[in-house]
Amino acid sequence: MKFVAFERAKQGTGASRRLRITGRTPGIVYGGTGEPSLIELDHNALWHAIKKEAFHASVLEMELEGKTQKVLLRDLQMHPFKQLVLHIDFQRVDAKTRLTMKVPLHYSGQEESPAVKAENCLVNHVLTELSISCLPKDLPEFIAVDLSGLKKGTSLHVKDITLPKGVKFVAKGGLDNPVLVSVSAVSEEAEADAAAAAAAAAPVDPKAAKAAAAKEAKAGAKSDAAKPAAKK
């Protein structure tokens, strides 16, 4: 994925504020053999770019002053409530240096799994991204995980999946084999509640409702007539 950046001459809070007013976003690129460089990007183009998953989890090509550099997105500061990128950081990429990145997990196949299709279980995605280490050329945009083999009472761990070539999992917090996906059975009470909720949400047939009300009234009248008369 490619984007265009421009050199930024001024820095500081005031300069950055004035830059944002003109529709530009201040940023910085650092790392590698070069010195850190102040940059600015067109905010409108950047706003559309950050909505794409590849912009966050792949090696990017940044065109700066007619030269192309390979970089990674390292930090993104957003306004608390406005649709505004306040600042952005990039790191230069060395082709021979391993990267440590968080890559999104793309799950598929759970609807066809025995756990969901035959055993009516719930599948919980415990992790949505994975910390990995690899060379820039081996960095995947995402890791595909097939859930079609899930069964009741099982779970899927990192060591149960095959990572792309050249990619290694980076353990965090002492967990070398964390759970990616867990499977839990739906209780009978929960199933009954779901059925009741579905019935309540279903559209009511006016004719059927009127007939049911008449039947109930008739049954009530018969019950009253069957009661013995009160003694005077």
Side-chain angles (χ1 to χ4, degrees), residues 24-99:
R24 296 293 184 101
T25 300
I28 188 172
V29 57
Y30 56 84
T33 57
E35 293 293 323
S37 299
L38 299 176
I39 60 172
E40 60 185 69
L41 293 82
D42 177 77
H43 184 271
N44 193 37
L46 177 61
W47 182 255
H48 289 290
I50 64 174
K51 295 180 180 180
K52 299 177 181 179
E53 190 176 68
F55 193 77
H56 298 261
S58 63
V59 176
L60 308 171
E61 292 186 354
M62 181 182 71
E63 183 182 327
L64 179 64
E65 299 300 309
K67 296 181 180 179
T68 300
Q69 305 178 40
K70 292 187 181 299
V71 298
L72 287 171
L73 173 62
R74 281 307 190 187
D75 191 35
L76 191 67
Q77 297 176 25
M78 303 293 298
H79 192 279
F81 56 88
K82 293 181 180 179
Q83 292 185 343
L84 181 67
V85 182
L86 297 177
H87 195 276
I88 191 165
D89 293 7
F90 296 99
Q91 180 184 352
R92 297 186 186 96
V93 170
D94 182 354
K96 297 181 180 180
T97 302
R98 293 185 71 86
L99 306 169

Side-chain angles (χ1 to χ4, degrees), residues 156-179:
L156 191 70
H157 293 72
V158 168
K159 292 184 179 179
D160 297 326
I161 66 173
T162 302
L163 296 176
K165 184 179 179 180
V167 174
K168 294 183 179 180
F169 167 66
V170 177
K172 299 286 185 179
L175 298 176
D176 61 349
N177 191 27
V179 176

